[in-house]
Amino acid sequence: MSERPKTPNTRSADAGWEPDAAATSSDGTQFISFTIGDESYGVDIMAVREIKVWSEITRLPEQPDFVRGVLNLRGAIVPIVDLRCRFGQGLTEATALHVVIIVQIDSQLVGLLADRVSDIVTVDPAKIKPVPKIGQNGKSAFLSGIVSIESELIALIDLSRLLTLPETKDLALAS
């Protein structure tokens, strides 16, 4: 029997995982944190629509490698982006323990394949540091900042950049 992902913990006393709850408050901005390998990433909680266990998807021809295919989510066709591959680290060997974080980017629903969801974190926007410019690689083009939470660094993903770089313009238009 496979293990289902756990509901994210919260690192803020009053924060519960409510996708419709305000993502900013006097306490800060909320992010869903998740892992890919040993690295931690975060996305704005207001963009997250749901978190699903990995399930079979339909592959489509002539898509970039990082687009694993699509799934039917209650009638909406949702492209699935393999973040490990998108960040240049090879394809994810997806299992029932992996998760798909369904986010809304502009008017498009997109699934982000990740190893696991870790937490909901509340961050003071003043504590978000810029991504260092030295030795930037392709992965840093997708990041909006870095934050340190309890000795862990979380790279914050700028979702608007995942589908707007030149190699993905057809994906953004076709969806």
Side-chain angles (χ1 to χ4, degrees), residues 32-34 43 48-52 83 99-103 110-114 116-117:
I32 294 284
S33 69
F34 56 92
V43 294
V48 176
R49 297 296 167 250
E50 69 182 86
I51 299 169
K52 295 180 46 63
L83 289 176
V99 295
V100 177
I101 303 165
I102 306 294
V103 296
V110 175
L112 306 177
L113 176 59
R116 66 182 173 87
V117 171

Side-chain angles (χ1 to χ4, degrees), residues 129-143:
K129 305 295 181 198
V131 178
K133 300 281 186 210
I134 298 173
Q136 278 193 340
N137 58 23
K139 182 181 356 178
S140 62
F142 308 113
L143 303 179

